[in-house]
Amino acid sequence: MTTAFSRAEQSGAVLEASRAPSVRNIQPARWRFDDDGSSVILFRALNRTLPVADESGHDLQASLGAAFEGLAIALSTRGLSLGPPEPERRAVAAGCEPVVRAAIIRPEDPEPDPMATWVGRRRSYRGVFPTADPADIRRLVALERSDARLILGTDRLAGLGVLHDAAAWSLESQPAFHAESWKWTRLVPSDPRYRRDGLTADCLALTGMKRLAASLALPPSRFAMMARVGMSQRVLSEAARIRSAGAGLVFCPRRTETSFDVGRRMYRLWLEITAVGFHVAMMSASANDADTRAALEEDCQVPPERRIANVFRVGRIADTAVAESPRLRVTELLV
């Protein structure tokens, strides 16, 4: 049975859906509800892409899938459910492209999604984690799934840090890639985009001297010069942060899953991790670099029917230490 619901309820659901993660926090998802509120169309904003870093569009599609899952979770707390996504090609919205349409349904026995509780607490933590205790390690081991393989132990995490830094630098050292990365980096609160989108200094855990070093080393006009003396590499290095984590986590869905469905599952996995008291940070370079992927597939014994879609570091940190990433206003999300 379908049902209508108010514009205010639609706005609230979309705001909650917007808390889903997106690559570099570009927030490509846009929404339109039918006049009677019985269905919704997911669009993608054409000006929010990463054509260099995400040439295949996998990360963009995964981001849209995560947003769709976010709306499904939000609707569940309102006594509604979201039907399966159906390809949509005919809808028109300025600056957007339609992706999927789904029915909004009122089930006879509605139940809130158990992950809804954790949407507001799910955040990335990109700083150094406190040392994990044995109880934390046991909780992390319990998170292992067929599509989530753990990397545990000091030596393996140190090796992951070396691999990741090499993978990240092989990408960031390319001028076009770094210029695109810089476009979505916000280092100073006076930047008018700081509370809208992208990766802020707070969310990157850059404070004090680290923020100053980043402001000197990362602008494209100085990046190559600073790289010659090793400063750019030091600012971008995540090896120490990776070593501090309780675990690395390799997300390896089935190869047959679409990027959209991978994004849906990745968001739920992240919420499951949040629900047991941990924070994570994406390490996308490790998933995007072919040599690093191959090394991780061997280390984690990833079966051939699965692929590495992303890599995370996982640890426990107080919520108050984790910055909340910015989000666009709901008026920009509804088209």
Side-chain angles (χ1 to χ4, degrees):
M1 178 172 63
T2 59
T3 183
F5 67 122
S6 72
R7 183 72 170 184
E9 290 174 313
Q10 293 170 12
S11 296
V14 164
L15 278 176
E16 290 177 29
S18 76
R19 293 311 311 174
S22 63
V23 57
R24 293 204 72 83
N25 196 25
I26 66 173
Q27 303 173 61
R30 300 292 182 269
W31 306 95
R32 175 186 293 160
F33 293 87
D34 284 355
D35 290 341
D36 64 358
S38 63
S39 67
V40 63
I41 301 171
L42 168 62
F43 294 84
R44 73 173 184 93
L46 295 175
N47 64 343
R48 289 179 175 265
T49 60
L50 298 169
V52 179
D54 184 34
E55 186 177 3
S56 70
H58 163 76
D59 291 342
L60 173 64
Q61 287 299 314
S63 300
L64 293 167
F68 186 87
E69 187 67 19
L71 186 65
I73 293 170
L75 291 179
S76 78
T77 66
R78 294 161 171 82
L80 303 170
S81 66
L82 196 56
E86 302 290 345
E88 172 61 48
R89 296 290 179 266
R90 292 181 297 176
V92 177
C96 296
E97 177 181 84
V99 181
V100 296
R101 177 190 291 269
I104 297 171
I105 304 163
R106 185 180 295 280
E108 290 186 4
D109 298 305
E111 290 188 9
D113 191 304
M115 292 298 103
T117 302
W118 308 103
V119 167
R121 290 182 60 182
R122 184 212 62 83
R123 301 178 188 178
S124 294
Y125 180 66
R126 297 179 176 85
V128 174
F129 286 107
T131 302
D133 61 30
D136 282 344
I137 301 302
R138 288 193 294 272
R139 292 187 186 95
L140 286 169
V141 169
L143 289 171
E144 198 152 32
R145 308 280 191 273
S146 57
D147 63 356
R149 306 297 179 91
L150 292 179
I151 297 173
L152 296 165
T154 303
D155 291 344
R156 290 181 73 197
L157 285 169
L160 177 60
V162 172
L163 282 172
H164 180 74
D165 273 5
W169 184 249
S170 73
L171 297 171
E172 289 285 350
S173 60
Q174 301 172 35
F177 184 100
H178 180 70
E180 185 176 83
S181 177
W182 175 254
K183 176 184 175 181
W184 295 96
T185 302
R186 324 294 189 219
L187 292 184
V188 293
S190 59
D191 186 327
R193 307 165 300 173
Y194 198 86
R195 292 170 179 82
R196 285 177 48 77
D197 53 21
L199 300 181
T200 68
D202 293 324
C203 291
L204 292 168
L206 296 174
T207 58
M209 291 302 296
K210 290 181 180 178
R211 186 179 302 204
L212 175 60
S215 67
L216 293 172
L218 297 186
S221 59
R222 294 194 293 266
F223 185 74
M225 178 183 67
M226 292 298 185
R228 286 195 287 272
V229 296
M231 186 173 179
S232 298
Q233 294 92 319
R234 288 194 295 274
V235 169
L236 291 172
S237 175
E238 297 182 54
R241 301 177 180 198
I242 294 167
R243 288 195 303 271
S244 76
L249 187 146
V250 173
F251 174 49
C252 47
R254 293 188 180 277
R255 292 183 183 274
T256 53
E257 291 185 52
T258 67
S259 297
F260 188 89
D261 287 338
V262 164
R264 296 188 69 177
R265 168 59 187 147
M266 186 184 71
Y267 186 27
R268 293 197 69 84
L269 175 63
W270 198 332
L271 291 171
E272 290 167 14
I273 295 169
T274 304
V276 292
F278 293 94
H279 286 87
V280 311
M282 283 188 184
M283 298 163 51
S284 299
S286 287
N288 294 336
D289 180 76
D291 291 340
T292 304
R293 274 200 317 273
L296 291 176
E297 285 170 355
E298 181 178 357
D299 182 41
C300 297
Q301 299 182 332
V302 177
E305 69 271 16
R306 295 185 176 275
R307 63 186 176 90
I308 294 178
N310 221 315
V311 181
F312 304 88
R313 56 182 181 269
V314 188
R316 187 183 295 279
I317 189 79
D319 285 354
T320 53
V322 187
E324 184 175 58
S325 54
R327 289 296 188 270
L328 299 171
R329 298 186 300 268
V330 70
T331 52
E332 297 178 74
L333 303 176
L334 288 165
V335 296

